[in-house]
């Protein structure tokens, strides 16, 4: 919900860094927390994480197995939970943490550092879309292939052979070999045919 940027000398702007941190899914038992609403943040409605990292040159550059930098990738595994109030005892068996440890937040170069404090709150999708429990959505255009006139005979076979995505088939319509768009979803609109 809130990100306090204490130090950010990376190339990523503070707002973009805060947005990327806000997209990291957190594993915590929602039954143990209350809705914040208009109340002040406290141990019953807020989880606090801190992130402090710095990139340095790797002193052992001789090996082919090592990278020239240490701490150049800022990952979600570097977020450290900071218990508030009685959270250390209440959440001892299953402490809050990122769902995935390998989410890349930023890349750094020597001399760059990031230090932030993040507050997470429980919410519902009706209040804001960031709390909406949805999956990633995507779309793909469905080309509509209309041939201006029937493509028949040798031209139909040439069209089928020309298409790299195998969109066309040959149909026998009243004894005439005719091209038909059989798999329009395969079409990438490559303009080859």
């Amino acid at each position: 919900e809130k990100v306090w940027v204490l130090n950010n000398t990376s190339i990523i702007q503070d707002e973009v860094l805060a947005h990327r941190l806000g997209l990291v899914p957190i594993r915590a038992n929602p039954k143990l927390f209350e809705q914040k609403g208009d109340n002040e943040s406290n141990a019953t409605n807020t989880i606090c994480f801190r992130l402090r990292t710095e990139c340095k040159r790797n002193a052992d550059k001789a090996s082919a197995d090592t990278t020239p930098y240490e701490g150049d990738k800022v990952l979600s595994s570097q977020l450290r939970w900071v218990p508030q109030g009685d959270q250390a005892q209440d959440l001892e068996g299953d402490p809050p943490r990122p769902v995935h440890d390998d989410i890349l937040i930023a890349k750094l170069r020597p001399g760059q550092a990031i230090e932030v404090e993040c507050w997470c709150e429980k919410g519902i999708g009706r209040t804001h879309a960031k709390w909406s429990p949805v999956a990633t959505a995507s779309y793909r255009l469905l080309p509509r292939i209309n041939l201006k006139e029937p493509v028949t005979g040798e031209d139909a076979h040439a069209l089928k052979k020309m298409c790299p995505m195998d969109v066309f088939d040959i149909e026998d319509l009243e004894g005439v070999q005719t091209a038909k768009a059989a798999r329009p979803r395969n079409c990438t609109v490559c303009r080859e045919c």
Side-chain angles (χ1 to χ4, degrees):
E1 177 63 23
K2 294 180 182 174
V3 176
W4 281 271
V5 180
L6 306 173
N7 182 21
N8 179 17
T9 56
S10 72
I11 195 167
I12 299 176
Q13 298 92 343
D14 292 353
E15 296 84 8
V16 175
L17 179 63
H19 183 259
R20 291 183 65 84
L21 286 164
L23 292 174
V24 174
I26 301 297
R27 181 184 308 272
N29 187 349
K31 294 176 183 174
L32 300 176
F33 296 94
E34 300 171 359
Q35 298 278 352
K36 181 175 177 261
D38 295 330
N39 301 329
E40 291 292 320
S41 297
N42 59 42
T44 63
N45 61 24
T46 304
I47 302 173
C48 180
F49 286 94
R50 285 214 179 107
L51 171 69
R52 173 187 256 169
T53 186
E54 183 178 355
C55 181
K56 298 179 182 175
R57 290 202 184 276
N58 192 347
D60 183 24
K61 289 189 259 182
S63 173
D65 296 335
T66 60
T67 62
Y69 310 119
E70 288 180 26
D72 59 328
K73 292 183 180 174
V74 182
L75 300 173
S76 56
S77 60
Q78 294 172 285
L79 285 167
R80 297 289 170 238
W81 172 51
V82 180
Q84 306 294 312
D86 294 334
Q87 287 182 347
Q89 294 85 22
D90 297 343
L91 306 172
E92 184 178 4
D94 189 22
R97 62 194 178 281
V99 172
H100 304 287
D101 289 336
D102 59 349
I103 299 172
L104 182 65
I105 297 170
K107 288 185 177 181
L108 303 177
R109 287 297 175 251
Q112 295 179 344
I114 292 177
E115 184 177 359
V116 295
E117 183 171 308
C118 312
W119 286 11
C120 306
E121 297 174 0
K122 177 181 173 181
I124 58 173
R126 188 180 338 159
T127 307
H128 195 283
K130 64 186 168 193
W131 288 305
S132 182
V134 297
T136 303
S138 67
Y139 72 95
R140 181 166 181 229
L141 297 176
L142 175 61
R144 192 168 70 197
I145 302 170
N146 294 328
L147 301 172
K148 290 184 180 180
E149 55 189 50
V151 180
T152 59
E154 288 300 317
D155 290 340
H157 287 284
L159 178 62
K160 180 173 173 36
K161 186 177 179 183
M162 189 184 311
C163 182
M165 301 308 295
D166 195 32
V167 173
F168 298 98
D169 270 346
I170 307 294
E171 276 190 354
D172 190 10
L173 297 177
E174 299 176 9
V176 179
Q177 301 261 315
T178 307
K180 174 190 171 200
R183 291 169 289 284
R185 282 197 180 271
N186 289 0
C187 185
T188 60
V189 195
C190 66
R191 297 179 170 252
E192 290 291 323
C193 51

